[in-house]
Amino acid sequence: MGLFDNAVPGGNITKPMMIALGALLVGKMLSGKSAEQPQEAPAPAPTPAGTTSADGGLLGGLGGLLDKLRDAGQGNVADSWVGTGQNQSINPGDLGSALGPAVIREIAQRTGMNEQELLQQLSTALPGIVDKLTPNGQVPQQHQVASAFNS
């Protein structure tokens, strides 16, 4: 996957995890198809109540994800991923609480993973992925995040 090769422990991001990360961060990934597959006018994916526009993923992109984490009391953790220092870990339960059950359910359905396994893998992957997406300690614009998933 290029940019994300060493973003997670072990360096291997599975296809279901890329779909999950894309669903959180890049709306067009909601179809569940990989970026390499041609997409012929997919039907818009339903977004859970209380979420923002699908073009930024289920949470409105990387900024929306970080806002959700901050609102749930995980601001120091989220900020460590964006900043240039050591990334703090997040407990799968805390991540699930921050994202909310509707978002977790939606992503689990899209990936075919059970919710517990999804949260376990996301809690492992997100610190490194967010860190890679914010190399200078600044949150990129949504089109930059989308292009990172397409490279």
Side-chain angles (χ1 to χ4, degrees):
M1 185 77 216
L3 175 68
F4 303 128
D5 284 345
N6 61 354
V8 297
N12 184 18
I13 300 178
T14 63
K15 183 174 179 178
M17 188 50 41
M18 283 307 298
I19 292 169
L21 292 165
L24 280 174
L25 303 171
V26 185
K28 69 181 178 179
M29 300 282 286
L30 287 174
S31 67
K33 297 180 181 177
S34 71
E36 297 85 32
Q37 294 174 318
Q39 296 182 7
E40 298 176 12
T47 53
T51 61
T52 58
S53 159
D55 64 353
L58 293 174
L59 300 174
L62 179 56
L65 169 65
L66 296 172
D67 287 344
K68 277 283 213 184
L69 290 165
R70 288 181 187 115
D71 291 347
Q74 299 297 321
N76 288 340
V77 171
D79 291 342
S80 78
W81 303 347
V82 174
T84 56
Q86 183 71 29
N87 293 332
Q88 294 180 31
S89 62
I90 188 165
N91 172 304
D94 291 338
L95 180 60
S97 295
L99 298 179
V103 169
I104 296 302
R105 193 168 31 254
E106 176 75 17
I107 297 171
Q109 289 172 351
R110 298 259 174 219
T111 62
M113 298 172 72
N114 74 51
E115 293 179 17
Q116 298 299 22
E117 179 64 18
L118 173 69
L119 284 171
Q120 182 65 47
Q121 288 193 31
L122 278 175
S123 68
T124 300
L126 275 175
I129 296 297
V130 173
D131 186 61
K132 290 288 184 187
L133 289 170
T134 58
N136 300 315
Q138 296 192 355
V139 177
Q141 293 184 13
Q142 187 57 37
H143 73 276
Q144 294 168 307
V145 174
S147 70
F149 276 86
N150 291 327
S151 61

